[in-house]
Amino acid sequence: MSDVIFREAVRADLPAVLDLLADDVLGRTRDVGEVDATYEKAFADITTDPRNQLVVAEAGGEVIGCMQLTYIPGLGRHGSERQLIEAVRIRSDRRGQGLGRQMITWAIDQARQRGCGLVQLTTDKLRRDAHRFYLGLGFVASHEGMKLGL
């Protein structure tokens, strides 16, 4: 996977990112691959917020993966920031080739460089393969997460 680069997404990447979000067992029930005003606003909000990064993995000029990194300030851990990793997706034809490991390792390195005290993520309880993947990277299932849909 040496041909892969990680970079912040630009507006031209939005359709590919939406396709990645929708190309997923759970994502296809929540997301559509069509750019509309709501997605445009969300993209602008993310990319103009210094505490957020929408990152794409690119190979051969094509977006093959994405993730959102959010940096959360807090008083805990002696006032250190924590990095939240969300919306990790790999294009279906590139899965199982080590790109996910490369992406998450890159994200963790970004957190270290920024001085974060913790990296956290959530993954749906139905994603058993993802649980094994994150445990294999050293993450610990230390908390029970809860969400309330609005």
Side-chain angles (χ1 to χ4, degrees):
M1 288 270 142
S2 61
D3 64 330
V4 176
I5 62 164
F6 300 103
R7 62 173 175 76
E8 288 201 46
V10 295
R11 170 55 188 83
D13 298 321
L14 185 54
V17 170
L18 295 180
D19 285 344
L20 288 168
L21 294 177
D23 180 27
D24 176 82
V25 158
L26 299 175
R28 69 179 57 112
T29 66
R30 314 184 277 232
D31 292 298
V32 295
E34 200 171 300
V35 177
D36 63 16
T38 303
Y39 283 130
E40 291 279 7
K41 180 182 181 322
F43 181 82
D45 288 347
I46 293 165
T47 58
T48 59
D49 182 342
R51 293 198 179 278
N52 276 285
Q53 288 181 290
L54 183 59
V55 176
V56 295
E58 180 183 292
E62 295 183 50
V63 172
I64 60 170
C66 67
M67 64 184 159
Q68 183 175 339
L69 307 178
T70 301
Y71 297 94
I72 305 167
L75 294 174
R77 297 179 183 273
H78 201 235
S80 68
E81 279 186 321
R82 63 186 62 207
Q83 180 194 69
L84 174 65
I85 303 173
E86 286 285 329
V88 178
R89 298 289 191 283
I90 308 293
R91 201 170 72 189
S92 59
D93 65 330
R94 298 299 289 253
R95 292 179 191 148
Q97 300 173 23
L99 179 58
R101 176 175 293 278
Q102 193 177 354
M103 283 176 59
I104 299 303
T105 300
W106 184 88
I108 293 167
D109 288 344
Q110 298 301 299
R112 280 193 182 103
Q113 289 175 21
R114 191 167 166 128
C116 292
L118 181 74
V119 175
Q120 65 187 36
L121 55 84
T122 62
T123 182
D124 195 284
K125 288 186 177 193
L126 299 174
R127 297 183 188 279
R128 301 282 183 223
D129 290 340
H131 301 170
R132 285 189 292 277
F133 170 74
Y134 291 120
L135 289 169
L137 287 170
F139 285 85
V140 177
S142 61
H143 292 68
E144 184 75 20
M146 297 184 187
K147 295 186 179 190
L148 175 65
L150 302 176

